[in-house]
Amino acid sequence: MTRHLFHQPPDGWVGDVIPWQEDGVLSLFYLHEERIEPKPGTPWRVMRTKDLLAYSEAEVALSAGADDAVDFNAYTGSVVADENGTHHLFYTGQNPRILGEDGQPLQVVLHATSDDAMTTWQRHHGRPIVAPAGYESADWRDPFVLRDEEAGLWRMLVTARHDNGPQRRRGVIAQLVSQDLVTWEPVEPFWDPRRYVAHECPEVFEWNGWYYLVYSEFSDAFATRYRMARSLHGPWLAPEHDSLDGRAFYAAKSVEWNGRRLFFGWIASREGDRDEGPWQWAGTLAVLEARQRPDGTLAFGFTDELLGSFTRVLPLDRTELPGALDAHGRHRAVVLCDALPDTFHASLRVRIDEHGAECGVLLRTSPDGDMGYIIRLEPRRGRMVLDRWPRRRTGDAQWEISGDVPHVVELERPCDLSPGEHILDVVVEGDICVVNLDRAVSLSTRLYDFTGGGLGVFATEGVLRVEDVALRAVPEPQASRGISSDPPPSSTDSLASHREKESS
């Protein structure tokens, strides 16, 4: 069993996760990504956990098909069990060598079954489900199957695209129905907003009288979102804050576990392991727990298991931290420690006044609090963002820094920052960082360029009261991911190193 807070196989990356719960055991099927050439086919692997902390070593659940097979890539799908206890696995088959009528790699829905508790799967390639008339043959994937007890049938939701209309607004969640999980009949679309390129990895579940439709928006946003309804047939309502996380947390799907609702997705890596690198497909496993508010909307936060793993209290220097960090008409920062461990949990309980413009946390910061990563709360804009200083340089002159970019553009989360008390939790493991506000708003990302430095707090044009602050680490035996805890270089040295990195 491996014990990482954010799990990643040693020989690859975690793609779309398909969670399944049975007898208290979570089976986390996922698409295994290997970034090698020539590109191998994509299999399903599975790892299991009973406590969200210890995971079994990943093993192949459904192998990739042969070079000429329609499922050379075995892509996303779902698992269900019928009344006889047989498990049914529906998945996407794709082979870049097999083209559809539109000249793009064909996607089909395939079926496999298991009669030995999901130890082995028998493929049924003789009955592939292809896109019916009116849909593009190259976008027909991510089947999600659920039982509709009221109607007495099975429903399959499929990520699809209409074959007409504006290119970026053809996305639709298609629907098929079946009595026996073998023969499927296309029916009217399940959801057809005509807004996005596609709605990937759809799922539907019911919770205390509310139905939730969850999907990953394939568009300029690349976010996992949800909709709400009182009926399986809609109408689907958009809550004010409808996303689970930001750009880096993608393709999340959920499972009910011991009365709780857990969402498993992946935190994307960046090309070249650098802050400015483009986001890549697949990454590291992450889990968010959803909590249902009285009005049915969902809040997303850390699991108690993850936060509870930080049992070692680390010292902080509070000598420079007054009860009220008064920053009227100015900016003030206080550094609480000079060096952070590779893995840590920083928790803060703060009180924001009605005049404050900005406040937040400094991560891997220099001793003067001026360089490093910034988790900034902006009450006037109602958002939490990730920033860093220095930013990317655009030239050699003093002003030629990306100062016109107010934060990392994809890493902005709308939130309620009304005057009063707020709780901020920050968990870092190596290059992974997840921030959570009030156990409701989550922001996941990667931190590559600054690998050392301290922890601080800051305020701008207002008063920030830090009611409580704590820094905790995992027990000493926890394996390190090898990130240095040295403080960052001086401002001059850091600017020079960034020039060298950008010119290389």
Side-chain angles (χ1 to χ4, degrees):
M1 303 286 281
T2 60
R3 298 186 68 87
H4 283 300
L5 302 179
F6 303 94
H7 188 80
Q8 183 178 319
D11 59 344
W13 303 84
V14 174
D16 302 353
V17 183
I18 301 95
W20 175 258
Q21 186 278 142
E22 198 162 332
D23 299 327
V25 177
L26 288 167
S27 295
L28 304 179
F29 298 95
Y30 71 93
L31 307 189
H32 184 76
E33 166 74 354
E34 294 182 81
R35 295 172 185 163
I36 58 176
E37 295 295 339
K39 188 72 172 172
T42 301
W44 280 34
R45 286 195 183 183
V46 63
M47 49 191 168
R48 295 182 171 88
T49 181
K50 296 180 180 179
D51 61 5
L52 299 177
L53 292 174
Y55 293 84
S56 65
E57 295 297 331
E59 57 188 44
V60 175
L62 187 74
S63 62
D67 287 352
D68 60 350
V70 69
D71 61 351
F72 171 77
N73 291 310
Y75 284 151
T76 307
S78 60
V79 175
V80 295
D82 64 22
E83 66 277 8
N84 299 317
T86 297
H87 291 86
H88 297 254
L89 187 157
F90 295 89
Y91 67 106
T92 307
Q94 190 258 16
N95 189 326
R97 305 168 188 84
I98 302 176
L99 305 183
E101 295 178 357
D102 49 14
Q104 301 296 318
L106 179 69
Q107 292 185 346
V108 299
V109 172
L110 298 173
H111 183 203
T113 55
S114 175
D115 292 314
D116 57 6
M118 303 186 297
T119 302
T120 60
W121 295 94
Q122 179 184 357
R123 287 171 158 94
H124 303 289
H125 279 186
R127 45 179 187 254
I129 303 172
V130 300
Y135 295 106
E136 295 181 0
S137 63
D139 282 276
W140 184 254
R141 61 183 179 275
D142 307 340
F144 176 79
V145 174
L146 71 155
R147 180 67 182 174
D148 183 348
E149 294 292 355
E150 182 178 346
L153 48 76
W154 296 91
R155 296 185 183 275
M156 179 188 291
L157 313 186
V158 182
T159 296
R161 278 171 53 82
H162 293 291
D163 62 2
N164 63 83
Q167 279 287 339
R168 67 189 181 101
R169 300 189 186 278
R170 295 184 184 180
V172 58
I173 297 179
Q175 180 178 203
L176 304 96
V177 296
S178 175
Q179 296 289 341
D180 57 7
L181 294 171
V182 175
T183 303
W184 293 89
E185 176 188 356
V187 293
E188 71 284 348
F190 187 82
W191 193 50
D192 192 8
R194 297 281 182 161
R195 285 190 58 189
Y196 312 115
V197 174
H199 321 94
E200 298 191 299
C201 303
E203 70 159 325
V204 171
F205 62 89
E206 186 272 338
W207 193 3
N208 294 332
W210 283 99
Y211 286 86
Y212 297 90
L213 166 63
V214 182
Y215 62 93
S216 289
E217 177 188 330
F218 194 115
S219 69
D220 57 341
F222 286 97
T224 302
R225 302 187 184 276
Y226 76 97
R227 296 291 184 264
M228 310 163 49
R230 283 298 192 180
S231 164
L232 184 60
H233 307 291
W236 295 100
L237 310 175
E240 180 181 2
H241 297 156
D242 67 344
S243 56
L244 278 63
D245 201 306
R247 169 64 176 86
F249 183 77
Y250 195 67
K253 298 185 78 168
S254 76
V255 63
E256 185 276 332
W257 184 63
N258 296 333
R260 300 157 64 186
R261 177 61 57 170
L262 303 176
F263 281 83
F264 293 89
W266 43 268
I267 298 176
S269 57
R270 283 185 181 269
E271 190 175 300
D273 293 346
R274 56 190 180 89
D275 289 346
E276 293 291 336
W279 294 109
Q280 296 174 299
W281 187 86
T284 305
L285 178 71
V287 56
L288 293 176
E289 181 167 356
R291 295 172 176 86
Q292 190 181 50
R293 300 186 180 98
D295 64 357
T297 60
L298 301 179
F300 299 92
F302 293 112
T303 64
D304 291 339
E305 289 84 353
L306 185 144
L307 294 183
S309 65
F310 293 91
T311 57
R312 187 160 55 98
V313 178
L314 300 179
L316 292 174
D317 182 3
R318 294 177 171 83
T319 57
E320 298 296 325
L321 183 63
L325 192 61
D326 190 342
H328 278 114
R330 58 170 295 186
H331 173 89
R332 291 191 64 187
V334 175
V335 176
L336 301 171
C337 73
D338 290 335
L340 288 165
D342 171 76
T343 301
F344 65 86
H345 168 214
S347 60
L348 297 94
R349 182 164 55 88
V350 301
R351 186 169 295 277
I352 300 174
D353 76 353
E354 64 272 20
H355 305 296
E358 299 172 353
C359 60
V361 176
L362 306 172
L363 287 182
R364 296 180 178 172
T365 187
S366 55
D368 62 2
D370 196 45
M371 298 182 56
Y373 297 105
I374 306 156
I375 300 166
R376 190 167 60 239
L377 307 179
E378 302 179 351
R380 296 177 185 176
R381 297 181 176 91
R383 69 183 184 185
M384 172 173 65
V385 304
L386 178 78
D387 200 353
R388 55 164 282 175
W389 192 263
R391 297 181 185 140
R392 181 176 60 87
R393 293 190 61 83
T394 58
D396 294 329
Q398 185 180 23
W399 64 85
E400 292 179 306
I401 293 177
S402 294
D404 58 332
V405 179
H407 58 275
V408 181
V409 176
E410 301 107 334
L411 300 179
E412 172 187 6
R413 301 289 289 128
C415 53
D416 179 4
L417 290 171
S418 303
E421 186 174 285
H422 295 275
I423 296 174
L424 197 63
D425 288 289
V426 182
V427 171
V428 171
E429 184 181 26
D431 56 37
I432 291 177
C433 173
V434 181
V435 184
N436 190 259
L437 177 70
D438 295 331
R439 302 200 81 183
V441 180
S442 181
L443 175 62
S444 301
T445 189
R446 298 273 182 169
L447 306 178
Y448 289 115
D449 291 358
F450 296 117
T451 57
L455 175 73
V457 295
F458 74 94
T460 304
E461 296 183 0
V463 176
L464 176 68
R465 288 178 170 82
V466 180
E467 307 283 353
D468 189 26
V469 57
L471 181 64
R472 295 179 175 85
V474 292
E476 289 287 359
Q478 178 79 16
S480 171
R481 292 169 67 102
I483 303 297
S484 167
S485 60
D486 295 333
S490 67
S491 299
T492 304
D493 292 342
S494 184
L495 285 172
S497 68
H498 275 273
R499 288 193 187 101
E500 292 173 0
K501 181 175 291 187
E502 289 162 6
S503 62
S504 62

